[in-house]
Amino acid sequence: MVLRLIQRLWGGLQPGANSYRQSRRVYSLQHQAQVTGEMMEALREVVGSANVSTAMAVRELHGKDESMHRCRPPDIVVWPQNMEQVSRLAEICYQHNVPMIPFGTGTGLEGGVGAIKGGICFNLSHMNRILDLNVEDFHVTVEPGATRKALNSYLRDSGLWFPVDPGADASLCGMAATSASGTNAVRYGTMRENVINLEVVLPDGRVLNTAGKDRRFRKTSAGYNLTSLFVGSEGTLGIITKAALRLYGTPESIVSAVCAFPSVQAAVDSTVQILQCGIPIARIEFLDDVMVGACNRFSSLQYTVLPTLFLEFHGSDQSVEEQVQQTEEITQTNGGSDFVWAKDQETRTKLWTARHNAWYAALALRPGCKGYATDVCVPLSKLPEIMVETKKDLVESQLTGPIVGHVGDGNFHCIMVLNPDDLEEVQRVKEFTDRLARRALALHGTCTGEHGIGLGKRKLLEEEIGEVGMETMRQLKATLDPKNLMNPGKVL
Amino acid sequence: MVLRLIQRLWGGLQPGANSYRQSRRVYSLQHQAQVTGEMMEALREVVGSANVSTAMAVRELHGKDESMHRCRPPDIVVWPQNMEQVSRLAEICYQHNVPMIPFGTGTGLEGGVGAIKGGICFNLSHMNRILDLNVEDFHVTVEPGATRKALNSYLRDSGLWFPVDPGADASLCGMAATSASGTNAVRYGTMRENVINLEVVLPDGRVLNTAGKDRRFRKTSAGYNLTSLFVGSEGTLGIITKAALRLYGTPESIVSAVCAFPSVQAAVDSTVQILQCGIPIARIEFLDDVMVGACNRFSSLQYTVLPTLFLEFHGSDQSVEEQVQQTEEITQTNGGSDFVWAKDQETRTKLWTARHNAWYAALALRPGCKGYATDVCVPLSKLPEIMVETKKDLVESQLTGPIVGHVGDGNFHCIMVLNPDDLEEVQRVKEFTDRLARRALALHGTCTGEHGIGLGKRKLLEEEIGEVGMETMRQLKATLDPKNLMNPGKVL
């Protein structure tokens, strides 16, 4: 009863850490196809017995991501070793009408890996090679198990790096699948701008190279942009087995700084002005006072507990100096504090680790509670209005939701910390997040800047994109995945 | 007979200026549907009699672009005044199974506007409003008749500009439809990176807002990327009736320069090194010696007749100074001449007008001849190899084809100047352009960096994207345009 009420409130919010174990019967009833013994044999034949598992503990590990969405374990987990195996596995699933769910690192935030109709989870972590590094062309190809940090370690001596950084050490193909971005997107763009080509196994096992096999030009106008169609498709159109990525030269100089402001408005106004002046800032991250306090406690820092910007500048020595000078002029006009500098690698790493641990710092505010991150994104000019209103709403709703955001993109998160067993609080959070999303939509914004739709935002997507947009997306899905086998129930 | 031979050689290459008049019967036989009197009445009812024309002179004006592709006049030309009229016209065409061809300024280069199955040409030039300029958000919306130059005139006092510049004063929605780019793309990206949202009338008259109505965020991960699907679709999926575009702050300082090199290799090597050093160059255009000579004559200039780079730097005074200094170091290492400067607006305009008139300068090399521009694009590291080989091939093939190119993107054009009545020369050009395209494909490149597929490159698209890619594109087309009415016969 309690479980069903929460499900109604939040479409599958996980009520407490272990309760999904009590609800196995619920999800097993929803399977659209039975996995037969014959099919199991066929899977084993492709990847070997050691790479197929039906153990409940394994299945449960693959049934949820880092969000509060309830665990929905797949029936089977397989570990393919290469694209050919993925293709053969897909053929088998297609023949047997069994759903396929790609799994990278499980670090998603919108329930994207839950097997809501059962099926086979493709754990792609064994396919983790980094291929075809081409320094002259600023280009590399990665398999789906290769993570962001693994790539940057690999690149360390090349003079190049891959800047898209969602915080988690996510798999790069998973980041492509969810159109991830993060702290550097204000300067370097999101996955949408940095994926050059994808190799995708289609539902029936055919292999598509979205820009043609081994192609890696800087631009093209050859036919429909299939690469962009698959970036952000959240595994609902095919399984990404390779991604060609754009790389960047490591900046000659990197300087980080922290600046505190008397008000949210002042910090956000500064952000808007910095962008409007065309300063090519690499990172500009906002933390509200609650978030700064939480980070101070969690990461042993001593920043002033005020609305704050974490800034980073990339460029030549001379260019960085100029950027810093222009930025300081703007922040001081808005009543900002003197910059607290993080110039050497160690201090910078401490600063950004603290920023990336914001999620855990927020959770530590209320031990035993769970987190849920909102993800709206609005035009820059609307940012002061929506952030000030949202802060007010948080206070009035008596909710814990420290704010952290990639404000240079107009994107911010309230990390809602809540007791999932307190139904009244769950209800209040649900109402708050819906209000916030609709506030963003009313201001020409989006309900999700970078986390994707997954399970949790399908209703909001309809409001955002409108009837014809939804019909068009459904047509595309039906065309490319006619049996609705690819990560069914997500996005649409 | 002669006509048919040339058609076989080049899929509709126009043999002399007026010969399409002789071949009316050929194209009228290919119509897939008859335009009835009833339908004419319905069209007139929507847009008024003055905005419907069946006059042959008018139809012929709408049957070809600036390329050599033979004129294929539509049956009727209509001038809708607003999106609602476009939608009602589309409904009528859909009911009567009559093809629809959107027409902007007719400045395309791949035969994209030819009505190869007859039908109705939608001349969108009356819909030319510029709407919703939002300076704070670097955002503007344009109707399909608004051109690039009209927008930049409109923006003159706003401190903003729209950088994508294909040379021609094309309509911005037409540029979106063909995924255009041009001289500034190396710094500011192509239309793919600069279109935020599109309003599209679908074949049956429904209206799609690709990112949701009035949405204008900097990033999103909400569902499939419909905007990118329509950018570059060349009118084959729907008619773009509005485009929301990203704007940029006018640079504080702009400096242009010209630098001559002892060899093609030296010029191209410099380009690659400038990009690899991360210098944020705004324009870097290559002209070979033949092209420089032609521009000198056509635009009364006195540049040294050698392989040459036209460069432009944007930024703060200080940043431009630094960029220039770094660039000069690189060019001098490669044996480049001292920079010939174009610092004031007037000299800069003269320089870039000369560059944009390269097409006409090339045509002037052989008065009475016609032009055809190749458009390959390869990874930067492959640029020296392909350009040197292509120059050699031009000489060996005894063809006039001065080279001009957006080499910062790996994209260059041979402007083939040929006598269309000399079948032997036509054949040699055809063989040369095919060799060039396949050379680019072999080097991981594309057959078209920015002109699109249109009529002329459908076969090459198949080679570039492969079988599964073509199947996927055909599926998308069949889904979104099930009656094959939207600009039929193009791209696929």
Side-chain angles (χ1 to χ4, degrees):
Chain A
M1 171 58 201
V2 166
L3 173 65
R4 280 166 59 197
L5 176 58
I6 295 182
Q7 280 174 22
R8 214 175 58 222
L9 289 175
W10 208 324
L13 186 74
Q14 181 190 327
N18 294 313
S19 59
Y20 59 85
R21 294 212 173 84
Q22 295 144 20
S23 62
R24 272 173 210 169
R25 195 163 297 167
V26 176
Y27 52 73
S28 64
L29 289 176
Q30 296 172 349
H31 291 188
Q32 67 181 25
Q34 286 295 316
V35 176
T36 60
E38 179 207 354
M39 183 175 169
M40 279 295 290
E41 267 319 295
L43 299 176
R44 288 201 184 101
E45 205 169 294
V46 175
V47 293
S49 294
N51 291 313
V52 179
S53 176
T54 54
M56 183 45 89
V58 172
R59 291 165 53 200
E60 282 173 351
L61 276 175
H62 290 80
K64 75 184 302 299
D65 57 15
E66 292 192 357
S67 73
M68 292 185 70
H69 289 286
R70 189 159 61 87
C71 179
R72 308 297 288 266
D75 296 304
I76 304 173
V77 180
V78 293
W79 284 263
Q81 311 297 308
N82 53 51
M83 176 271 281
E84 289 73 19
Q85 289 188 358
V86 174
S87 166
R88 286 170 62 200
L89 293 169
E91 266 180 56
I92 294 168
C93 291
Y94 192 76
Q95 281 162 12
H96 290 78
N97 299 315
V98 169
M100 297 169 254
I101 304 106
F103 189 97
T105 52
T107 47
L109 292 171
E110 288 298 344
V113 296
I116 62 170
K117 298 194 172 194
I120 316 291
C121 173
F122 286 58
N123 182 318
L124 301 159
S125 60
H126 291 189
M127 296 167 61
N128 62 354
R129 288 179 304 166
I130 296 171
L131 306 161
D132 301 330
L133 171 61
N134 193 307
V135 175
E136 281 193 308
D137 292 326
F138 291 50
H139 166 274
V140 75
T141 301
V142 294
E143 289 190 335
T147 67
R148 178 178 74 75
K149 287 186 183 170
L151 175 61
N152 278 323
S153 293
Y154 182 89
L155 295 173
R156 192 166 291 143
D157 299 324
S158 69
L160 300 178
W161 71 308
F162 183 71
V164 184
D165 177 1
D169 187 22
S171 72
L172 292 151
C173 291
M175 285 165 61
T178 53
S179 189
S181 44
T183 52
N184 286 303
V186 62
R187 164 92 169 244
Y188 299 96
T190 72
M191 291 304 281
R192 292 195 179 200
E193 288 81 33
N194 289 294
V195 174
I196 294 165
N197 201 348
L198 292 172
E199 180 187 84
V200 181
V201 171
L202 297 174
D204 58 4
R206 286 176 306 143
V207 181
L208 169 70
N209 292 278
T210 54
K213 193 162 166 55
D214 295 327
R215 311 227 161 271
R216 52 185 166 87
F217 27 70
R218 283 170 65 102
K219 68 180 193 186
T220 181
S221 57
Y224 306 142
N225 191 340
L226 300 180
T227 306
S228 288
L229 184 58
F230 281 86
V231 171
S233 63
E234 303 189 34
T236 64
L237 302 178
I239 299 174
I240 298 172
T241 50
K242 226 177 256 170
L245 303 174
R246 182 174 176 182
L247 302 174
Y248 294 79
T250 314
E252 180 184 320
S253 177
I254 302 179
V255 172
S256 302
V258 175
C259 182
F261 291 85
S263 66
V264 174
Q265 178 93 39
V268 179
D269 283 349
S270 299
T271 305
V272 175
Q273 290 160 21
I274 289 164
L275 272 288
Q276 283 168 353
C277 286
I279 300 169
I281 199 150
R283 285 169 158 162
I284 182 159
E285 294 286 304
F286 172 82
L287 295 83
D288 75 353
D289 52 342
V290 186
M291 193 75 251
V292 173
C295 286
N296 277 347
R297 274 192 294 282
F298 188 83
S299 299
S300 306
L301 300 168
Q302 283 83 38
Y303 294 122
T304 314
V305 180
L306 278 176
T308 294
L309 291 176
F310 283 12
L311 306 153
E312 191 161 275
F313 306 92
H314 295 176
S316 64
D317 291 341
Q318 195 179 324
S319 151
V320 163
E321 196 180 308
E322 191 183 16
Q323 292 177 47
V324 167
Q325 185 198 325
Q326 291 172 331
T327 303
E328 273 191 309
E329 273 172 32
I330 291 169
T331 54
Q332 282 172 8
T333 310
N334 288 289
S337 68
D338 288 343
F339 281 5
V340 177
W341 293 105
K343 293 188 179 182
D344 61 289
Q345 172 79 55
E346 193 186 340
T347 323
R348 280 207 323 270
T349 302
K350 197 172 170 197
L351 172 68
W352 293 109
T353 305
R355 164 63 191 85
H356 283 144
N357 283 333
W359 171 263
Y360 304 103
L363 288 182
L365 288 172
R366 290 177 64 187
C369 283
K370 293 274 159 186
Y372 174 80
T374 68
D375 183 35
V376 299
C377 180
V378 296
L380 272 189
S381 67
K382 306 295 181 191
L383 199 53
E385 177 181 343
I386 194 170
M387 288 192 72
V388 169
E389 266 188 59
T390 300
K391 279 289 282 182
K392 196 162 148 258
D393 193 353
L394 278 169
V395 173
E396 287 173 2
S397 305
Q398 295 181 286
L399 289 170
T400 309
I403 296 179
V404 63
H406 319 304
V407 283
D409 296 318
N411 181 210
F412 68 92
H413 313 296
C414 300
I415 305 181
M416 307 308 300
V417 186
L418 68 158
N419 174 0
D421 297 322
D422 179 346
L423 290 192
E424 190 276 329
E425 187 181 32
V426 169
Q427 174 67 22
R428 255 186 300 137
V429 169
K430 167 82 177 116
E431 284 168 6
F432 168 82
T433 56
D434 282 354
R435 263 196 313 277
L436 172 54
R438 296 202 168 102
R439 200 177 288 138
L441 294 181
L443 294 171
H444 312 290
T446 173
C447 68
T448 179
E450 57 181 15
H451 294 171
I453 296 296
L455 272 176
K457 292 196 181 124
R458 290 173 296 173
K459 179 72 190 64
L460 288 165
L461 176 63
E462 294 197 25
E463 295 178 31
E464 177 168 333
I465 197 81
E467 200 182 318
V468 179
M470 287 304 293
E471 277 167 31
T472 306
M473 289 190 188
R474 286 196 193 102
Q475 282 180 299
L476 296 176
K477 167 76 175 174
T479 300
L480 298 179
D481 180 22
K483 292 183 170 188
N484 191 26
L485 298 180
M486 296 307 314
N487 206 3
K490 310 301 164 54
V491 182
L492 299 174
Chain B
M1 171 60 200
V2 167
L3 174 65
R4 279 167 59 198
L5 175 58
I6 295 183
Q7 280 175 22
R8 213 175 59 221
L9 288 175
W10 207 321
L13 186 73
Q14 181 190 328
N18 295 314
S19 60
Y20 60 84
R21 293 212 173 84
Q22 295 145 21
S23 62
R24 270 174 212 168
R25 197 163 297 166
V26 177
Y27 53 70
S28 65
L29 289 176
Q30 295 172 347
H31 291 189
Q32 68 180 24
Q34 287 294 317
V35 176
T36 62
E38 180 207 351
M39 184 176 169
M40 279 295 290
E41 266 320 294
L43 299 176
R44 288 201 184 102
E45 205 168 295
V46 175
V47 293
S49 295
N51 291 314
V52 180
S53 176
T54 53
M56 184 46 89
V58 172
R59 290 166 51 200
E60 282 171 351
L61 277 174
H62 289 80
K64 77 185 298 301
D65 55 17
E66 293 192 356
S67 73
M68 292 184 68
H69 288 286
R70 188 160 61 88
C71 180
R72 308 297 288 265
D75 297 305
I76 304 173
V77 181
V78 293
W79 284 262
Q81 311 298 307
N82 52 51
M83 176 272 281
E84 289 73 20
Q85 289 187 1
V86 175
S87 166
R88 286 170 61 200
L89 293 169
E91 265 179 57
I92 294 167
C93 291
Y94 192 78
Q95 279 162 12
H96 291 78
N97 299 316
V98 169
M100 297 169 253
I101 304 105
F103 189 98
T105 52
T107 46
L109 293 171
E110 287 298 343
V113 298
I116 61 170
K117 298 196 171 191
I120 316 291
C121 173
F122 286 57
N123 182 316
L124 300 160
S125 60
H126 290 189
M127 294 166 60
N128 62 353
R129 289 180 302 167
I130 296 171
L131 305 161
D132 302 328
L133 171 61
N134 194 307
V135 175
E136 282 192 310
D137 292 326
F138 291 49
H139 167 273
V140 75
T141 302
V142 295
E143 290 190 333
T147 67
R148 178 178 72 74
K149 287 186 182 170
L151 174 60
N152 278 324
S153 294
Y154 182 89
L155 294 174
R156 192 165 292 143
D157 299 323
S158 69
L160 301 178
W161 73 309
F162 184 71
V164 184
D165 178 1
D169 188 22
S171 72
L172 293 151
C173 290
M175 287 164 60
T178 54
S179 190
S181 45
T183 51
N184 287 303
V186 63
R187 164 90 170 246
Y188 300 96
T190 73
M191 291 304 280
R192 292 194 178 198
E193 288 82 34
N194 288 293
V195 174
I196 296 166
N197 201 347
L198 293 171
E199 179 186 85
V200 180
V201 171
L202 297 173
D204 59 4
R206 285 175 306 143
V207 181
L208 169 69
N209 292 278
T210 54
K213 193 161 167 55
D214 295 328
R215 310 226 162 272
R216 52 185 166 86
F217 27 70
R218 282 169 66 104
K219 69 179 192 187
T220 181
S221 57
Y224 306 143
N225 191 340
L226 300 180
T227 305
S228 288
L229 184 59
F230 281 85
V231 171
S233 63
E234 303 190 36
T236 63
L237 302 179
I239 298 174
I240 298 173
T241 50
K242 226 176 257 172
L245 304 173
R246 182 173 176 183
L247 302 173
Y248 294 80
T250 313
E252 181 185 320
S253 177
I254 302 180
V255 172
S256 302
V258 175
C259 182
F261 291 85
S263 66
V264 174
Q265 178 94 39
V268 180
D269 283 349
S270 299
T271 305
V272 175
Q273 289 159 23
I274 289 165
L275 272 288
Q276 283 168 353
C277 287
I279 299 170
I281 199 149
R283 285 168 157 163
I284 181 158
E285 294 287 304
F286 172 82
L287 294 83
D288 75 354
D289 52 341
V290 186
M291 194 75 252
V292 173
C295 286
N296 277 347
R297 275 192 294 283
F298 189 82
S299 299
S300 307
L301 299 168
Q302 283 83 39
Y303 294 121
T304 314
V305 180
L306 278 175
T308 295
L309 291 176
F310 283 12
L311 306 153
E312 191 162 276
F313 306 91
H314 295 177
S316 64
D317 292 341
Q318 195 179 325
S319 150
V320 164
E321 197 179 306
E322 189 183 17
Q323 291 177 48
V324 166
Q325 186 199 322
Q326 292 173 329
T327 303
E328 273 190 311
E329 273 172 31
I330 291 169
T331 54
Q332 283 173 8
T333 309
N334 288 290
S337 69
D338 287 344
F339 281 6
V340 178
W341 292 104
K343 293 190 179 179
D344 61 289
Q345 171 80 55
E346 196 185 337
T347 323
R348 279 207 325 268
T349 302
K350 198 173 170 196
L351 172 68
W352 292 109
T353 304
R355 164 61 190 87
H356 283 144
N357 283 333
W359 172 263
Y360 304 104
L363 288 183
L365 288 172
R366 291 177 64 188
C369 284
K370 293 274 159 188
Y372 174 79
T374 68
D375 182 34
V376 300
C377 179
V378 296
L380 272 189
S381 67
K382 305 296 182 190
L383 200 53
E385 176 181 344
I386 193 169
M387 289 192 72
V388 168
E389 267 190 57
T390 300
K391 279 291 280 181
K392 194 161 149 258
D393 193 353
L394 278 169
V395 172
E396 287 172 3
S397 307
Q398 296 181 289
L399 289 169
T400 309
I403 295 179
V404 63
H406 318 304
V407 283
D409 296 319
N411 181 210
F412 68 92
H413 314 295
C414 300
I415 305 180
M416 307 309 301
V417 187
L418 68 158
N419 175 359
D421 296 322
D422 179 346
L423 289 193
E424 190 274 328
E425 186 181 33
V426 169
Q427 175 66 24
R428 255 187 299 135
V429 170
K430 168 82 177 115
E431 284 168 8
F432 167 83
T433 57
D434 281 354
R435 265 198 309 280
L436 173 54
R438 295 202 169 101
R439 200 177 288 135
L441 293 182
L443 293 171
H444 312 290
T446 172
C447 68
T448 180
E450 56 182 17
H451 293 169
I453 297 296
L455 271 177
K457 292 196 181 124
R458 289 172 297 173
K459 178 72 189 62
L460 287 166
L461 176 63
E462 294 195 25
E463 296 178 32
E464 177 168 332
I465 197 82
E467 201 183 316
V468 179
M470 287 304 292
E471 276 168 32
T472 306
M473 288 190 189
R474 286 196 193 102
Q475 282 180 299
L476 296 177
K477 167 75 174 174
T479 300
L480 298 179
D481 181 22
K483 292 183 170 188
N484 190 25
L485 298 179
M486 295 308 314
N487 206 5
K490 312 299 165 55
V491 182
L492 298 174

